[in-house]
Amino acid sequence: MSAVTPEQLHGHTGALDHAHDHPHGWRRWLYATNHKDIGTMYLWFSFAMFLFGGVLALGIRSELFQPGLQIMRPEFFNQLTTMHGLIMVFGAIMPAFVGFANWMIPLQIGAPDMAFARMNNFSFWLLPPAALLLLVSFFVPGGAAAAGWTLYAPLTVQMGPGMDLAIFALHIMGASSIMGSINIITTILNMRAPGMTLMKMPMFVWTWLITAYLLLAVIPVLAGAITMTLTDRHFGTSFFNAAGGGDPVMYQHIFWFFGHPEVYIMILPAFGIISQIVPVFARKPLFGYASMVYATAAIAILSFIVWAHHMFTTGMPVTGQLFFMYATMLIAVPTGVKIFNWLATMWRGSMTFETPMLFAIGFIFVFTMGGFTGLICAMAPIDIQIQDTYYVVAHFHYVLVAGSLFALFGGTYFWLPKWTGHMYDEKLGKLHFWLSMIFFNITFFPMHFLGLAGMPRRYADYPMQFADFNMISSIGAFGFGLTQLLFLYIVIKTIRGGPKASANYWGAKDGGLEWTVPSPAPFHTFETPPTVK
């Protein structure tokens, strides 16, 4: 994509970019309306939540290091599993992708900023209070929510005030997501540079456009489900309370109607990031761009009709089981299209293996494994055996950690020089990749065998025959957790200095307009819209 003339290139940093025009110190961040500042805050917030959720996970793994109750009561163990899930999904992975969207979408489409700058500020500042509510819930009578991250009734109807705090936190985070989505859709549809048609947009922008529509469709469904839970708890309704004639299984239907598109909300932007990285390091255009766009849309549409594959053991009629089984198998097709397109992009390319490319290849390899274990869960007869065992835990960590998280790491290394103006330390980046990859597999691969042998999830104790694999998992988890401190060190080191990065430091041939602006990207970019040829 050829983009700008030299005059336009200097039109970015116009008269508005003087030092006195944007506030400094705490005001710069509290009142931020600049998409880059807000993106930066999202990324730091999500990393802080990632470390917090990670500490909870290490609590879980230390309890499971040996059979017998080691260090905590089972109730507290269940609080850890629940809060770990909620914090990682709503506090770490989703805000991280929104941070990438804020930073990169205006740069990639040649927009001066996001469409609604003040709303952008508001949607970020809703998140810290919500995170605080989740944190505080550990200290109220009865402790934090302990019903699993899915918040299934009837447990949720019976819990203490920690449950209410979790419900309010999810409401606030949901409001933030809805505002962020409206902002992203409006920006992409109305603020593209002249000449950038929809089918010329970078894949990352496409995946976010589709993700934002998914968020708008399903966040209100979650809000409805947890509001009904709230009225069951305090206002005498009986939506999910069987004692009053309610139906706990109805909660599962409503929740998973949100929850299944939600898992694609957490992976589609990852697909977008991988689709940006692979062509650059394969030195070839993305294979089958149009088919990638259609596959993304197909995944999004199909994600609405597969929700009950989480519920094969609830006594569903066989016809229902068959429908959801086939629909789930069908969703593997567009996902497979993406995998083959990435492989075809790499095929006979002149590949180099810098850190972003390592994470992209690692993503494709491990995510594909997670996809296959998902297909196994999709078959009702097998799923009835492995439902709620560690096999399921292994499966979704393969797609969420090796999927979303590895893509986030790859994207960070890919664009970090554009954000900071400095190249990161390549040796340390590669070390971070290999340690993450090895420890990740040591942690989650044994869980497949634990699940097949029948170890249920969310149990604080287990019989002796599961001891060895649990010990291996726990050792891997501590290794994986410590490795992420190395990532923090690399990022801080890059912000503080390092070799200067040029505008197009990877030599990207196409992709977004981000390669036409200097590194670091100036505070104001594209005041004169570039023209896309």
Side-chain angles (χ1 to χ4, degrees):
M1 183 184 298
S2 60
V4 286
T5 61
E7 300 79 65
Q8 283 171 316
L9 191 60
H10 301 298
H12 303 271
T13 48
L16 288 178
D17 206 22
H18 295 313
H20 59 256
D21 266 279
H22 52 266
H24 290 280
W26 58 270
R27 281 192 182 80
R28 170 179 176 182
W29 303 104
L30 184 62
Y31 302 136
T33 50
N34 184 288
H35 71 98
K36 302 178 185 75
D37 282 355
I38 293 173
T40 303
M41 291 196 296
Y42 265 109
L43 291 169
W44 278 113
F45 169 81
S46 67
F47 191 70
M49 294 302 279
F50 171 62
L51 292 181
F52 177 38
V55 168
L56 301 186
L58 294 184
I60 295 168
R61 284 317 319 170
S62 23
E63 176 56 65
L64 293 173
F65 188 70
Q66 286 178 308
L69 290 178
Q70 308 295 323
I71 50 180
M72 58 185 79
R73 301 188 319 282
E75 308 88 274
F76 185 67
F77 179 85
N78 283 349
Q79 291 172 31
L80 288 188
T81 52
T82 303
M83 299 309 278
H84 165 71
L86 288 175
I87 284 163
M88 286 305 200
V89 169
F90 296 102
I93 299 291
M94 286 171 68
F97 280 128
V98 180
F100 271 86
N102 264 300
W103 245 108
M104 297 316 302
I105 287 174
L107 285 184
Q108 290 194 315
I109 63 174
D113 207 304
M114 295 295 275
F116 306 114
R118 287 209 173 99
M119 185 165 87
N120 205 9
N121 173 293
F122 188 47
S123 58
F124 170 75
W125 281 111
L126 283 176
L127 292 177
L132 199 64
L133 283 177
L134 288 176
L135 178 63
V136 166
S137 70
F138 277 108
F139 303 103
V140 298
W149 82 277
T150 50
L151 304 179
Y152 276 2
L155 277 174
T156 43
V157 184
Q158 298 156 2
M159 290 200 153
M163 190 69 227
D164 301 316
L165 291 177
I167 288 173
F168 285 133
L170 286 182
H171 268 303
I172 296 170
M173 285 170 161
S176 163
S177 291
I178 287 174
M179 288 196 289
S181 305
I182 292 170
N183 214 342
I184 286 166
I185 291 170
T186 312
T187 306
I188 295 173
L189 294 185
N190 293 321
M191 299 179 69
R192 300 192 304 284
M196 181 175 282
T197 58
L198 284 175
M199 291 310 269
K200 279 187 192 166
M201 294 196 311
M203 267 316 295
F204 179 65
V205 181
W206 256 118
T207 53
W208 246 116
L209 179 64
I210 291 167
T211 303
Y213 277 112
L214 274 182
L215 274 164
L216 285 186
V218 300
I219 292 285
V221 178
L222 172 70
I226 57 181
T227 306
M228 288 150 91
T229 304
L230 198 67
T231 60
D232 274 11
R233 289 169 55 77
H234 298 293
F235 299 108
T237 57
S238 290
F239 292 111
F240 312 130
N241 188 354
D247 182 6
V249 175
M250 179 171 77
Y251 176 86
Q252 297 190 27
H253 279 289
I254 301 171
F255 178 86
W256 284 115
F257 190 78
F258 148 81
H260 206 81
E262 165 67 18
V263 298
Y264 292 102
I265 286 163
M266 290 188 284
I267 200 66
L268 289 180
F271 290 166
I273 291 174
I274 301 302
S275 304
Q276 301 293 150
I277 294 174
V278 170
V280 170
F281 295 99
R283 313 286 183 292
K284 275 174 67 188
L286 182 66
F287 179 88
Y289 171 88
S291 66
M292 288 293 251
V293 173
Y294 295 132
T296 309
I299 290 171
I301 293 161
L302 287 172
S303 73
F304 281 101
I305 59 162
V306 295
W307 78 89
H309 67 204
H310 297 268
M311 301 169 53
F312 284 145
T313 54
T314 53
M316 197 191 299
V318 175
T319 345
Q321 291 188 25
L322 275 174
F323 169 79
F324 285 107
M325 187 163 94
Y326 292 142
T328 309
M329 304 252 177
L330 192 60
I331 213 163
V333 177
T335 315
V337 167
K338 289 182 166 299
I339 305 282
F340 284 118
N341 282 10
W342 290 322
L343 294 178
T345 307
M346 289 190 251
W347 178 251
R348 304 183 85 169
S350 12
M351 292 217 289
T352 52
F353 298 97
E354 285 86 352
T355 312
M357 188 60 163
L358 285 177
F359 270 107
I361 294 170
F363 167 95
I364 293 168
F365 170 62
V366 196
F367 179 81
T368 306
M369 286 167 61
F372 279 125
T373 56
L375 273 178
I376 290 169
C377 296
M379 296 180 213
I382 307 178
D383 187 69
I384 287 166
Q385 295 297 315
I386 55 178
Q387 159 84 13
D388 259 337
T389 67
Y390 265 78
Y391 190 90
V392 179
V393 178
H395 155 68
F396 69 71
H397 282 87
Y398 262 77
V399 286
L400 273 180
V401 182
S404 305
L405 187 66
F406 277 19
L408 286 164
F409 285 150
T412 304
Y413 287 113
F414 189 55
W415 284 308
L416 192 62
K418 179 60 66 186
W419 301 340
T420 62
H422 303 292
M423 291 304 284
Y424 60 89
D425 186 324
E426 189 65 62
K427 278 202 182 79
L428 287 180
K430 287 183 171 160
L431 180 66
H432 173 229
F433 166 74
W434 284 111
L435 288 175
S436 292
M437 192 68 169
I438 292 162
F439 282 127
F440 166 78
N441 282 292
I442 292 174
T443 309
F444 294 106
F445 200 72
M447 291 185 188
H448 293 102
F449 304 120
L450 286 170
L452 290 170
M455 179 172 166
R457 62 198 270 203
R458 299 182 187 143
Y459 276 41
D461 189 10
Y462 53 87
M464 202 59 214
Q465 68 257 35
F466 301 137
D468 295 348
F469 278 143
N470 267 305
M471 185 177 278
I472 294 169
S473 268
S474 292
I475 293 168
F478 276 89
F480 187 80
L482 291 171
T483 302
Q484 305 327 314
L485 297 177
L486 172 64
F487 175 67
L488 179 63
Y489 170 75
I490 295 169
V491 171
I492 291 172
K493 185 177 175 218
T494 312
I495 292 170
R496 292 199 156 169
K500 286 271 178 278
S502 62
N504 189 357
Y505 46 89
W506 296 126
K509 293 282 189 296
D510 55 3
L513 297 172
E514 75 261 41
W515 307 119
T516 63
V517 306
S519 307
F523 192 70
H524 294 289
T525 39
F526 300 120
E527 286 168 6
T528 320
T531 307
V532 176
K533 303 289 189 299

